[in-house]
Amino acid sequence: GLRGRALVNLTSGEPARARALARWAGRHGIRYLDGAVLSPTPAIGTPSAAVLYSGAAGVHEAVRETLAALGGSGTYLGEDPGLTAAFEVALLDLFATSVHGLAHAFALASAEGIAPGQLAPFAAGIGGLLPEMAGRWADQLAEGRFSGERSTVDSAATTLTHLIAAARSHDLDTAALSAAKRAADRVVAAGHGADGLARLTTALDALDTPRDVPDTPQASDPSGGPRCRQRS
């Protein structure tokens, strides 16, 4: 059996499930380390691979040489076994919504008679804005100050109104855009419309939308089935 051995889990899932699996492993005498592969398949084994780990530091130290075969530097985040999954779901949140945004942009452009090849260079330019925004937003969120010198939530709300109208004129799905508009409207209603876009982060914890992911046994019962990883 696995008793007395180290178990490194590199599959995807929620932080609560990773912590539950760590508790299950502890009850069975198994040393547990959670991990997440953040790179596409071709990068595995190369210096560009990005892999995160969290859990018992002693386990990570014991298997670090073996894990080096995955490539990259491998980043150990800390003792909390759910921390890796927390990073992963946040980053996949960014990836999933960005993929949807790209698909929606191509669909809207196509509906307006714009060929994909015509849009692509400009779409790449829009995507290139995100790295700088990530660092700037992190600073603003840490300080609790949201400068509107570059752009404001007021202007974002107006832009979203136009985007929703354009998409609906072509019978395209506007669920994601409408969710973004609700968040912007909440910030404006709270009197912060002149703040910068990072302020939107503070309006996402209590939107008036139903929870569409019910609690499942996976959050507390590791035997509920393996976590699955999807990589592009």
Side-chain angles (χ1 to χ4, degrees), residues 28-57:
H28 291 80
I30 301 167
R31 299 176 297 145
Y32 181 81
L33 186 71
D34 202 72
V37 179
L38 303 182
S39 301
T41 304
I44 303 304
T46 73
S48 64
V51 188
L52 305 180
Y53 304 101
S54 64

Side-chain angles (χ1 to χ4, degrees), residues 128-216:
L129 300 176
L130 290 176
E132 185 276 334
M133 288 178 68
R136 179 159 46 85
W137 282 30
D139 291 339
Q140 292 183 9
L141 289 164
E143 296 169 0
R145 301 189 325 199
F146 307 97
S147 171
E149 291 180 359
R150 297 193 181 195
S151 55
T152 67
V153 178
D154 277 330
S155 65
T158 300
T159 298
L160 285 162
T161 298
H162 299 323
L163 292 177
I164 291 169
R168 285 178 176 169
S169 73
H170 295 291
D171 294 325
L172 295 178
D173 188 336
T174 60
L177 291 172
S178 295
K181 179 64 163 56
R182 286 195 300 272
D185 288 344
R186 286 170 65 92
V187 172
V188 172
H192 300 299
D195 284 0
L197 299 183
R199 169 68 79 172
L200 292 167
T201 306
T202 67
L204 298 174
D205 57 347
L207 288 177
D208 297 326
T209 53
R211 291 180 180 269
D212 57 3
V213 181
D215 292 334
T216 67

Side-chain angles (χ1 to χ4, degrees), residues 33-129:
L33 186 71
D34 202 72
V37 179
L38 303 182
S39 301
T41 304
I44 303 304
T46 73
S48 64
V51 188
L52 305 180
Y53 304 101
S54 64
V59 178
H60 176 256
E61 188 61 32
V63 299
R64 188 167 59 177
E65 278 191 36
T66 300
L67 296 174
L70 295 176
S73 58
T75 302
Y76 175 69
L77 300 172
E79 293 272 349
D80 177 3
L83 195 54
T84 292
F87 268 78
E88 184 181 37
V89 294
L91 294 169
L92 288 179
D93 185 343
L94 172 61
F95 183 70
T97 51
S98 297
V99 167
H100 178 273
L102 184 60
H104 201 277
F106 274 115
L108 181 55
S110 178
E112 289 288 349
I114 301 170
Q118 292 176 295
L119 185 71
F122 299 100
I126 292 293
L129 300 176

